[in-house]
Amino acid sequence: GPGGFLRQGPVGMPAHCEVSETDWARFQEALLHFDVVGTTHRFNEFWLQLADVVGFQHLEYSASNTAPAGSESKSGRTALSHHTVETLNSSTHFDRRAYALVSQMQESQVEENKGNFAHRLALFANATTTRGNRKFTGGIPPTSLYKWVKAQENPPEDIIQRPTFYTGRAVCRGFGAPTVFLVKKDARPYRCDRGCTFD
């Protein structure tokens, strides 16, 4: 590998990295403090329930972490040896327990949230549409009122937006990306740096 850092054999797990039943108990206790829980496999149900709790205005989204239709699973587990699969199953024991627990909790929350929730969920899914090569679940989101501009463009302090859920001015920085500030979409002469918005 680059720089000669190629692992030649198995590496033992440091004792402090081992997950214990005590850790599991702490995880279970922590979950009790969440109003909404869910898994990615039932994301739409989680998303609508979360919106009911925190008041999101626009729920439409385009998933960016799904494999194209007809492609092989990202995990590639079907190509792994039986021994490797058994090793993965052993090392992810608590992960699978956590998934099962959260799935059960989500099912209970969905059951408690009766009324018109199933109808709303169906409407949300049925509103799914495509634009170009992107699929938008829930429909096409409205045009943003804001844009991100690079900090080096030095937008004046009075035009930098401060959404209500911020304690200070809105600042964003991605991995390896420059710091950006949130301003109104029509603020000129500042150019939009990226597509993420908070509205």
Side-chain angles (χ1 to χ4, degrees), residues 119-160:
H119 178 65
R120 290 168 51 215
L121 184 66
L123 289 177
F124 184 65
N126 291 337
T128 298
T129 187
T130 59
R131 175 184 286 175
N133 61 351
R134 296 179 65 189
K135 182 175 79 171
F136 290 86
T137 302
I140 303 295
T143 302
S144 175
L145 300 177
Y146 306 98
K147 64 184 176 183
W148 292 108
V149 299
K150 292 181 179 179
Q152 54 261 45
E153 291 201 30
N154 296 315
E157 190 71 30
D158 61 348
I159 74 165
I160 295 175

Side-chain angles (χ1 to χ4, degrees), residues 178-199:
T179 300
V180 291
F181 295 132
L182 190 70
V183 302
K184 287 287 185 66
K185 184 178 180 179
D186 58 0
R188 301 184 184 280
Y190 310 104
R191 296 168 296 175
C192 182
D193 176 64
R194 62 187 69 176
C196 56
T197 62
F198 278 129
D199 61 329

Side-chain angles (χ1 to χ4, degrees), residues 34-72:
F34 285 83
D35 294 314
V36 183
V37 298
T39 66
T40 54
H41 290 93
R42 297 179 66 177
F43 179 76
N44 286 351
E45 289 160 290
F46 165 77
W47 191 222
L48 263 66
Q49 287 191 292
L50 183 64
D52 287 344
V53 173
V54 302
F56 288 136
Q57 296 180 41
H58 305 302
L59 304 184
E60 308 89 348
Y61 72 91
S62 177
S64 60
N65 61 345
T66 55
S71 66
E72 293 184 10

Side-chain angles (χ1 to χ4, degrees), residues 79-123:
L80 300 176
S81 69
H82 175 74
H83 173 72
T84 300
V85 171
E86 287 297 310
T87 301
L88 286 171
N89 288 340
S90 175
S91 61
T92 59
H93 168 67
F94 282 104
D95 300 86
R96 289 181 287 112
R97 282 175 66 180
Y99 182 87
L101 175 59
V102 171
S103 296
Q104 182 181 24
M105 291 179 66
Q106 181 176 23
E107 181 62 35
S108 296
Q109 290 177 349
V110 170
E111 283 297 312
E112 292 171 5
N113 195 356
K114 290 185 177 179
N116 69 343
F117 183 75
H119 178 65
R120 290 168 51 215
L121 184 66
L123 289 177

